[in-house]
Amino acid sequence: MFTKILIANRGEIACRVIQTAQKLGIRTVAVYSEADKNARHVAMADEAIYLGPAPAKDSYLKTELIIKAAKETGSQAVHPGYGFLSENADFAKALAENDIEFIGPPEGAIIAMGSKSAAKEIMEEAGVPLVKGYHGENQEPEFLKSQADDIGYPVIIKATAGGGGKGMRIVWKAEEFESNLASCKRESAASFGDDKVLVEKYITKPRHVEIQVFADKHGNAVHLFERDCSVQRRHQKVIEEAPAPGMAEDNRQKMGEVAIRAAQAIGYVGAGTVEFLYDEDGSFYFMEMNTRLQVEHPVTEKITGQDLVEWQLKVAAGQELPEKQEDLRINGHAFEVRIYAEDPRQDFLPATGSLLHLSTPEESNHIRIDTGVRQGDTVSVHYDPMIAKLIVWDHDRNAALARLRGALAQYQVVGLTTNVEFLSALASNQAFEDCDLDTNFIERYRDELILEDAPADEDALVAATVYQLVQREQAAKKSASQSADPYSPWNQVSGWRLNTDNHHAFEYIDYVDSIPNDVVVTTHFRGDEYLLELPERELKIHAAELNGSNLRLDAAGKRFNATVVDDGKSLHVFVNGNYQVLEKVERGLAGDSEDAGGSLTAPMPGTVIEVKVSEGDTVEAGQPLIILEAMKMEHTINAPTAGTVAEILYSAGDLVDDGAELLILDAGED
Ligand code: MV4
């Protein structure tokens, strides 16, 4: 086995590979760009080598720099992850020339699968089922048209050099063939520098089912069952699962055998995936083969109990496959969703920015999170905006789906727009639960999946408001640095009662589809609890406890938890599995003529211990003004806002009644 490897990638997959290497006692070398100096993969590795500027073409795609880094660090092998150089035959070749092991297939296997038509030819010879079609050299329009007529409409025209759905045309009628062929060829020439196409029968309602295969250098090959990745958006997978729902055991076995045959036909070594179009009647057709470890490999790991990166390392090091086909079993069901910085409501526009707050469900046998970022990290324009992969497992599909819903409800990201809500809608979608799966799923259920923006519900308003009350209390406690009652959530703030009727208004702007809605929550202090005047009703808050951003509260006997994050401008509230943003309107009491200035009153009968200010002093918000002692405990009364002390009505030693005016503050300019 290798003692040291280099990981020529970044983000979650680099972290994922490092984790297994560490488990196996292999030292790791990361590489990084200017943008990734402080990235998680760099921190995790034993060593890290700087490559170059942020754009991938100047760093992660620079073959020479990666080989140089591998040589300088004494790395015996390079793991390419996925994307970047993972399916680049020249890279595999360059490594071989430098006596560095490529943790991936032989150069020839990458080349064989690079061209769609050539791949299909190889597969046809190997007896792998193909969709009826023509993938030969003759590109004469009349000839291709006659082929299409033979196949029968609808047909699909695909760029031979294409990928990711680019350069495809569906043709429903013979009359439309010629014009579609011309436009497909134009697009292919422009996109791939090659206008060669193939024509085949269009399968109207296919599922994307793929088989994980593995081969070693000793001629052994196994499959690790299938994944269903039908739910895609513009050829980007959104959710993947294993096993494929409804797959009959004999069909699974047939597909597995065919996939192994496909791998063997090209002398495959390592991890590969054979993709199939899976038709409604259970027939399946070879689509393409991916000659790398795939993003969605964790669902296969969860249902087989295998570590596929460990397999890759062992195979690359010349060992035999860790398991025989007959020892591999499917256990339970797994889902993976890709959590992205993107806005589903804006046609999934990628988002960039910093992860101001990141809180994730706890990992366990049921929940796995593969990520390359931590709270505080940035998602930049330079790379794929994936934040994490969330993988769940349970004994059956419905239980796993319930796990997924629960985990997504606990996934909190502030600072970037994410697709978490969209994924939650998907995990809760009845048609998805019912396995109404095909590649058109998202289009078909679009309106159920991309939900309208909803106004903040009452719990969110309560949480935001109580958060601010407790925050003020904590701030007051800190600035007073006086002994305080640690058990009462209210005593410290209860002092600031600006008005004789003892209220304070918290104002928010709740944007619903960019339309601002003004919401005011007025709080009244009632001795041992707060009364909140909400838009719909009044509610008594008996207690509240704030731990960092985690708020626990008791609202009229209903206890609930919320997370509130203040980014300075807005409060981000997570409650009941929902996420709401409430922009704060700092009314400041000065800005409101009715509330301008006011008196501060005693929260309970007691003795004035100390008056910390003099008349005419200017004070800052939160500054301690008067210390009272009541029931053997000290209470600090802090300035609720900046201002000037207009009048002090009591001095040290005086006894005061509950509600007595202690001090009059002229609120300053805000
Ligand atoms: C097809 C097809 C239907 N019939 N071929 C899309 C990407 C490329 N790898 C192959 N693709 C398709 N080929 C025939 N003969 C439908 C698709 C297709 C698709 C396939 C898998 C996953 C998502 C898809 C979304 C749209 C179309």
Side-chain angles (χ1 to χ4, degrees):
M1 180 47 80
F2 312 115
T3 56
K4 194 180 202 180
I5 63 166
L6 182 145
I7 298 95
N9 214 302
R10 63 178 303 283
E12 64 88 14
I13 191 61
C15 296
R16 160 77 191 86
V17 173
I18 292 169
Q19 207 173 358
T20 289
Q22 286 173 344
K23 181 180 86 176
L24 301 178
I26 300 168
R27 277 174 297 141
T28 54
V29 180
V31 289
Y32 64 98
S33 72
E34 183 69 34
D36 281 339
K37 279 181 183 160
N38 300 311
R40 181 169 185 254
H41 77 280
V42 173
M44 276 177 75
D46 296 309
E47 289 171 66
I49 303 293
Y50 174 76
L51 293 176
K57 67 170 176 43
D58 300 323
S59 48
Y60 296 107
L61 290 172
K62 279 229 180 267
T63 298
E64 325 82 68
L65 291 182
I66 289 164
I67 289 175
K68 185 163 166 266
K71 284 180 141 176
E72 279 174 9
T73 54
S75 302
Q76 300 134 348
V78 171
H79 195 300
Y82 52 73
F84 293 147
L85 297 166
S86 61
E87 292 177 282
N88 185 314
D90 292 339
F91 181 60
K93 187 173 168 216
L95 285 172
E97 283 165 3
N98 284 277
D99 284 324
I100 301 164
E101 188 70 28
F102 178 59
I103 304 170
E107 181 200 348
I110 300 176
I111 294 168
M113 291 299 112
S115 159
K116 280 190 180 169
S117 54
K120 287 192 172 168
E121 220 157 291
I122 296 168
M123 293 307 152
E124 195 160 42
E125 261 167 58
V128 176
L130 299 183
V131 184
K132 186 181 176 193
Y134 176 76
H135 41 79
E137 292 299 320
N138 193 338
Q139 294 290 302
E140 286 301 319
E142 300 74 33
F143 176 79
L144 292 174
K145 167 78 167 41
S146 69
Q147 289 293 320
D149 292 344
D150 275 1
I151 295 162
Y153 295 88
V155 300
I156 184 166
I157 309 171
K158 296 180 182 177
T160 290
K166 239 190 178 167
M168 293 194 332
R169 292 290 184 284
I170 299 159
V171 186
W172 295 92
K173 293 184 220 141
E175 309 88 86
E176 292 163 3
F177 185 82
E178 213 184 314
S179 60
N180 274 291
L181 176 66
S183 85
C184 185
K185 279 189 168 287
R186 272 196 305 276
E187 185 180 311
S188 306
S191 303
F192 315 111
D194 180 353
D195 72 351
K196 200 178 153 202
V197 297
L198 58 87
V199 181
E200 59 188 32
K201 179 83 190 167
Y202 179 62
I203 313 284
T204 52
K205 218 180 170 222
R207 281 161 68 181
H208 171 130
V209 177
E210 58 185 32
I211 305 277
Q212 176 72 57
V213 292
F214 242 101
D216 63 22
K217 295 174 180 175
H218 307 278
N220 303 305
V222 299
H223 70 85
L224 291 103
F225 315 106
E226 78 282 2
R227 297 185 282 260
D228 190 318
C229 315
S230 299
V231 179
Q232 309 196 355
R233 199 198 136 264
R234 300 216 180 136
H235 307 286
Q236 293 289 323
K237 291 166 185 168
V238 172
I239 187 165
E240 302 104 349
E241 60 183 297
M247 167 82 66
E249 193 53 47
D250 60 334
N251 219 25
R252 166 173 298 130
Q253 211 170 335
K254 256 198 291 181
M255 282 183 90
E257 282 163 15
V258 162
I260 290 172
R261 221 182 302 149
Q264 284 174 331
I266 56 166
Y268 205 77
V269 174
T273 297
V274 184
E275 295 183 347
F276 294 98
L277 286 172
Y278 190 85
D279 210 348
E280 290 165 280
D281 63 0
S283 51
F284 55 88
Y285 309 98
F286 173 82
M287 194 161 36
E288 49 194 86
M289 179 169 182
N290 297 317
T291 55
R292 58 166 193 274
L293 184 72
Q294 298 211 147
V295 178
E296 59 272 28
H297 74 277
V299 293
T300 299
E301 297 187 318
K302 289 307 291 183
I303 62 156
T304 59
Q306 305 298 324
D307 178 336
L308 298 190
V309 174
E310 180 176 339
W311 281 45
Q312 285 190 295
L313 293 169
K314 287 181 170 170
V315 165
Q319 297 181 22
E320 294 208 19
L321 290 176
E323 301 284 342
K324 301 238 174 303
Q325 189 68 61
E326 59 268 29
D327 298 325
L328 292 165
R329 294 269 179 288
I330 294 177
N331 177 25
H333 201 99
F335 287 100
E336 172 183 293
V337 289
R338 303 180 186 194
I339 296 175
Y340 265 94
E342 64 183 15
D343 188 355
R345 290 196 190 103
Q346 285 193 63
D347 201 24
F348 295 84
L349 187 75
T352 57
S354 285
L355 295 153
L356 178 68
H357 166 86
L358 177 64
S359 178
T360 59
E362 201 181 327
E363 293 194 68
S364 68
N365 185 36
H366 294 283
I367 294 176
R368 165 173 164 184
I369 296 165
D370 282 15
T371 187
V373 294
R374 303 147 299 194
Q375 182 168 296
D377 286 352
T378 301
V379 175
S380 76
V381 296
H382 301 291
Y383 315 110
D384 182 81
M386 187 160 77
I387 295 170
K389 302 188 306 204
L390 171 64
I391 304 108
V392 298
W393 175 89
D394 214 317
H395 295 286
D396 60 47
R397 188 175 190 270
N398 281 343
L401 200 49
R403 293 270 179 197
L404 180 61
R405 287 191 289 267
L408 283 166
Q410 288 181 56
Y411 217 105
Q412 302 177 343
V413 182
V414 174
L416 294 161
T417 308
T418 74
N419 64 345
V420 170
E421 200 182 1
F422 168 74
L423 295 172
S424 291
L426 177 58
S428 305
N429 185 273
Q430 191 59 50
F432 185 76
E433 185 176 327
D434 295 344
C435 307
D436 180 18
L437 304 172
D438 65 81
T439 56
N440 205 36
F441 184 90
I442 291 187
E443 273 311 307
R444 187 160 62 253
Y445 295 106
R446 193 186 169 79
D447 294 347
E448 295 176 24
L449 299 173
I450 301 172
L451 303 174
E452 276 177 39
D453 201 0
D457 64 9
E458 186 177 81
D459 284 352
L461 289 170
V462 169
T465 303
V466 174
Y467 170 84
Q468 293 192 86
L469 290 170
V470 181
Q471 268 283 346
R472 286 174 190 220
E473 176 204 354
Q474 290 185 345
K477 247 181 207 166
K478 223 180 196 172
S479 66
S481 67
Q482 296 285 339
S483 70
D485 170 7
Y487 304 104
S488 164
W490 306 126
N491 286 339
Q492 293 290 313
V493 260
S494 59
W496 49 273
R497 302 182 185 187
L498 267 179
N499 312 293
T500 44
D501 73 338
N502 196 15
H503 74 268
H504 186 82
F506 291 90
E507 190 175 344
Y508 308 99
I509 301 174
D510 177 17
Y511 286 93
V512 181
D513 288 326
S514 306
I515 298 160
N517 287 301
D518 214 58
V519 188
V520 178
V521 179
T522 306
T523 63
H524 301 263
F525 181 64
R526 289 281 187 264
D528 60 351
E529 62 185 25
Y530 271 94
L531 181 70
L532 266 52
E533 269 183 73
L534 294 152
E536 305 283 316
R537 59 169 177 153
E538 295 188 346
L539 192 67
K540 283 178 180 157
I541 307 298
H542 299 316
E545 194 183 312
L546 182 65
N547 223 317
S549 50
N550 295 322
L551 181 68
R552 282 184 54 74
L553 54 87
D554 179 333
K558 180 179 102 169
R559 288 179 171 262
F560 65 95
N561 296 335
T563 302
V564 185
V565 178
D566 187 347
D567 71 6
K569 185 174 169 226
S570 299
L571 296 172
H572 300 255
V573 184
F574 296 89
V575 64
N576 307 326
N578 291 322
Y579 171 47
Q580 292 290 346
V581 182
L582 293 164
E583 191 175 306
K584 295 184 285 182
V585 181
E586 300 287 359
R587 279 222 287 201
L589 295 154
D592 185 323
S593 60
E594 265 193 12
D595 281 347
S599 60
L600 287 148
T601 58
M604 54 192 72
T607 310
V608 176
I609 300 285
E610 190 186 347
V611 179
K612 299 183 77 88
V613 289
S614 310
E615 285 177 5
D617 283 2
T618 55
V619 296
E620 289 177 4
Q623 185 175 332
L625 304 175
I626 291 175
I627 299 168
L628 281 181
E629 188 199 66
M631 298 185 292
K632 299 210 169 69
M633 279 186 291
E634 288 188 6
H635 303 278
T636 304
I637 292 169
N638 301 299
T641 172
T644 309
V645 178
E647 207 178 337
I648 297 170
L649 300 160
Y650 289 89
S651 46
D654 288 348
L655 289 170
V656 293
D657 287 332
D658 181 20
E661 270 193 0
L662 301 173
L663 181 146
I664 293 170
L665 187 67
D666 283 342
E669 243 67 38
D670 224 83

